[in-house]
Amino acid sequence: MKPEADLQQRFLFDTMGVRGELVRLDSSFKALLENHDYPREIKAQLGEALSAAALLASTIKLDGALIMQVEGDGPMRTLIAQANSDNTVRGLAHYDDSFETAAGFSELVGQGRMVITIDAQGSERYQGIVELKGDSIAETLKTYFTQSEQLPTQLWLTSIDGMAAGLLLQKMPSEHGGEEEWEHLVALAETLTDEELLSLPFETILYRLFHEERVLVFDSEPVAFRCSCSRERIASALLNMGKEEVESLLEEMDVVETHCDFCMAKYNFDAVDVAALFSDAMPAEKGQ
C-alpha cells in the first residue's frame, strides 16, 4: 500500500506540553523538480528545506508565508524554501558544478547563514538569522531555535529520489510537561529511520514511536506545489525599474523577456505592453 503523500499530520501530547507534525512531499516535490534539472545532491537539500519550511509554517498561526533561505560561499550559493498558510510550497536552488558527487550539506554551502522570514498579513514582518552549523538543515535549525530562545524544537528531515519528508517536535508555552518528558519524546523520535519516515503510513509511524504515550491526532491536510508569480507582479517589478530603464531594454531586445526562477514561467512585454503599463501608471492631469 502506498503511504500518505503530499500531506501534513498534526499531533499533540497534551499532558506533556509537546506538539508534533509529520509531512511527506511526493507529487508536490516532483512538480517543482519538473521545472529544473538539479543534481541529485541539490534535490536532496531542496527536499529537506521544503519539508522544514512546511513543518515550521504549521506551528505559526499566520495568513501569509514562511520563507527559509540558506546563503553560503560554497557551490550551492542559495537555497530557498517557502511554505504558505494555504499549505502550498515552492522553492529553488542556485548552484555551480564545483562539488564532489555525494557532497553533504556543509560541503555544498560552505560558510554562510540561514535567514527565516515570516511575512504575514496584519503583522510586522519578522526575520531571524543564524550562522550555518553542522552538516544538515535540521542541525542549523536546532541552533536557530536555541540561539533565538524560542520554544525548544527538533526536526528530522530526509529526501531521496524525488520524495521528501519530515518530523517536528516542539515544546509549547505551557506549564505541563518538563525537560524529562521532552527528552524522552526526542529520544523516541531519534529511533525513526529515513526509510520509515519516507515510506510508512503516518499512523504506523506514530504507533511505532509513541504507542506508550497519549497522543491526540488531528485530521491530515493536503500539501501542493504552487507558485505565486503572475504577470501583474512582473509588471509591478518593471514599474519599479522605471520607464527609462525598461525602454532602454526594449531598444536592445525589442521585447522585455522575463521568467520566474521558481516555476520558470515566461512573461514577455513588447513596446505596446510597456507603453500601456507606464501610461496606466501615470497620474491623471488636473482637470481631467
Side-chain angles (χ1 to χ4, degrees):
M1 182 177 66
K2 188 175 181 179
E4 301 97 329
D6 302 295
L7 289 175
Q8 289 186 240
Q9 179 78 68
R10 290 192 303 124
F11 56 94
L12 175 68
F13 304 91
D14 60 340
T15 60
M16 296 183 177
V18 175
R19 59 186 169 193
E21 183 96 18
L22 283 159
V23 66
R24 185 176 289 134
L25 308 175
D26 186 3
S27 298
S28 54
F29 188 29
K30 288 181 171 63
L32 182 156
L33 295 176
E34 285 178 359
N35 303 309
H36 304 274
D37 186 23
Y38 293 128
R40 178 168 55 89
E41 294 82 1
I42 302 296
K43 289 180 184 178
Q45 299 302 330
L46 183 55
E48 291 192 16
L50 284 173
S51 298
L55 291 170
L56 295 178
S58 71
T59 68
I60 306 167
K61 295 181 179 180
L62 57 82
D63 182 11
L66 181 143
I67 305 161
M68 187 174 70
Q69 182 165 340
V70 175
E71 304 167 342
D73 60 7
M76 189 174 67
R77 302 180 301 279
T78 306
L79 179 67
I80 300 174
Q82 178 177 331
N84 304 310
S85 52
D86 60 356
N87 291 339
T88 59
V89 295
R90 67 174 186 169
L92 62 83
H94 291 151
Y95 68 97
D96 57 50
D97 296 326
S98 61
F99 64 88
E100 299 293 332
T101 302
F105 178 73
S106 59
E107 295 173 290
L108 286 171
V109 298
Q111 300 295 315
R113 64 179 189 170
M114 175 184 287
V115 181
I116 295 179
T117 304
I118 299 174
D119 193 359
Q121 295 183 11
S123 300
E124 185 176 347
R125 185 182 176 95
Y126 166 84
Q127 192 168 81
I129 302 174
V130 65
E131 182 181 352
L132 298 177
K133 294 288 186 180
D135 195 28
S136 69
I137 291 171
E139 288 182 42
T140 297
L141 284 169
K142 182 178 180 180
T143 301
Y144 167 77
F145 278 99
T146 300
Q147 292 184 356
S148 61
E149 299 182 355
Q150 298 188 40
L151 300 174
T153 304
Q154 191 95 7
L155 291 94
W156 294 262
L157 307 168
T158 187
S159 180
I160 302 173
D161 296 332
M163 286 190 68
L167 165 65
L168 172 144
L169 292 179
Q170 184 177 68
K171 289 188 72 173
M172 299 189 301
S174 165
E175 296 180 359
H176 300 294
E179 191 62 26
E180 288 187 6
E181 288 87 351
W182 167 250
E183 292 179 355
H184 171 65
L185 294 177
V186 170
L188 292 175
E190 289 280 7
T191 67
L192 186 66
T193 67
D194 289 348
E195 291 75 14
E196 290 172 329
L197 187 54
L198 283 167
S199 63
L200 291 181
F202 288 163
E203 180 181 354
T204 303
I205 290 176
L206 292 176
Y207 180 81
R208 146 96 162 74
L209 296 178
F210 309 119
H211 62 275
E212 294 184 353
E213 316 301 332
R214 176 180 169 181
V215 187
L216 300 179
V217 181
F218 300 88
D219 292 338
S220 60
E221 298 181 355
V223 183
F225 166 73
R226 185 179 303 154
C227 190
S228 58
C229 73
S230 66
R231 188 174 179 83
E232 289 73 21
R233 291 195 173 195
I234 300 298
S236 178
L238 294 178
L239 285 171
N240 289 333
M241 290 173 61
K243 184 178 181 180
E244 184 175 340
E245 185 171 350
V246 175
E247 289 181 342
S248 176
L249 291 174
L250 273 176
E251 291 178 3
E252 296 177 11
M253 302 180 296
D254 293 330
V255 174
V256 178
E257 298 180 350
T258 66
H259 73 272
C260 173
D261 284 344
F262 288 94
C263 68
M264 306 307 291
K266 295 181 179 180
Y267 300 94
N268 295 333
F269 291 79
D270 60 18
V272 174
D273 295 325
V274 170
L277 178 64
F278 284 95
S279 175
D280 291 342
M282 292 179 60
E285 295 183 6
K286 293 182 179 180
Q288 290 187 344

